[in-house]
Amino acid sequence: TKVSYQEIFARLTQANLFLLLFDRDRSQQNASQSSFRVGELFPKASEFISGATVLVPRILQAITMIAFMFHFARLETLVAILGSAIIGGTVVPINRRVRRISKLTLPEYSHLMSGLQRAASNLFLIRSLRIEEEEFNRISERNRGYANHSVASYAWSVLGRSVPQILGVFLLVG
């Protein structure tokens, strides 16, 4: 899967380069947007696509395993399926929250990077107009928003990964 991840990432980066150099619509030629895509968006998209390619074999494996389990131990299989449904019902709301928070993280990061780029390219003007503090506060606010959303997203995703393991132990013991 690492090879497919690298291939997907390379293709997305190639498409981004094409848009940057040859697209006549000037909205795609923003350097900040381009670096955001390559640095943040494309690695996550590549990982998602790479993970989706292994989904079909895993589903077939799960169906085969459940069929064999049901053939040899019906009651235990039904208990395992019911327990898995309960665990899934607990994890789904947590994952929805992670997704909702993550949607806020990417725009914050994009605004943060464009603010930093704008401040760096207009440093002389900012100092001449003596608005350093305003610019600092504006960019710091974006940085705090990005940091808060990133930490919250990470914390909820850790919880979402831990709950199935903890509830799975209870399912096995009970």
Side-chain angles (χ1 to χ4, degrees), residues 4-55:
S4 64
Y5 168 84
Q6 295 298 336
E7 178 66 23
I8 294 164
F9 181 76
R11 287 178 187 241
L12 288 172
T13 304
Q14 186 75 19
N16 185 60
L17 180 63
F18 180 83
L19 285 175
L20 185 68
L21 296 176
F22 297 109
D23 188 23
R24 298 296 172 216
D25 180 18
R26 299 288 181 210
S27 67
Q28 297 294 327
Q29 294 182 4
N30 184 344
S32 175
Q33 292 275 345
S34 181
S35 77
F36 166 73
R37 281 189 220 117
V38 172
E40 282 290 315
L41 195 61
F42 290 170
K44 291 176 178 145
S46 300
E47 194 161 326
F48 173 77
I49 294 169
S50 178
T53 60
V54 297
L55 185 64

Side-chain angles (χ1 to χ4, degrees), residues 44-94:
K44 291 176 178 145
S46 300
E47 194 161 326
F48 173 77
I49 294 169
S50 178
T53 60
V54 297
L55 185 64
V56 172
R58 288 185 180 169
I59 288 174
L60 291 173
Q61 182 182 17
I63 290 171
T64 304
M65 187 176 73
I66 289 172
F68 276 107
M69 284 173 54
F70 192 75
H71 177 71
F72 291 113
R74 292 181 186 195
L75 180 63
E76 291 81 0
T77 303
L78 292 175
V79 169
I81 291 172
L82 180 64
S84 297
I86 291 170
I87 292 171
T90 306
V91 172
V92 166
I94 294 171

Side-chain angles (χ1 to χ4, degrees), residues 77-173:
T77 303
L78 292 175
V79 169
I81 291 172
L82 180 64
S84 297
I86 291 170
I87 292 171
T90 306
V91 172
V92 166
I94 294 171
N95 286 339
R96 283 189 183 136
R97 180 170 285 198
V98 169
R99 192 174 19 240
R100 184 173 40 97
I101 294 171
S102 295
K103 284 181 183 178
L104 301 173
T105 304
L106 293 176
E108 287 288 342
Y109 180 79
S110 180
H111 291 303
L112 172 64
M113 288 295 115
S114 64
L116 286 171
Q117 183 181 17
R118 185 180 63 247
S121 61
N122 296 321
L123 190 59
F124 181 74
L125 179 64
I126 291 169
R127 287 183 178 160
S128 298
L129 296 175
R130 298 176 193 225
I131 56 172
E132 296 98 334
E133 191 170 329
E134 291 175 29
E135 201 64 28
F136 177 80
N137 290 337
R138 185 182 350 212
I139 295 172
S140 294
E141 182 180 330
R142 292 293 186 184
N143 190 32
R144 281 190 300 276
Y146 171 70
N148 290 340
H149 290 126
S150 294
V151 169
S153 174
Y154 179 74
W156 280 102
S157 67
V158 167
L159 179 67
R161 288 191 308 263
S162 301
V163 165
Q165 296 171 6
I166 294 167
L167 293 179
V169 168
F170 288 122
L171 180 64
L172 288 174
V173 172

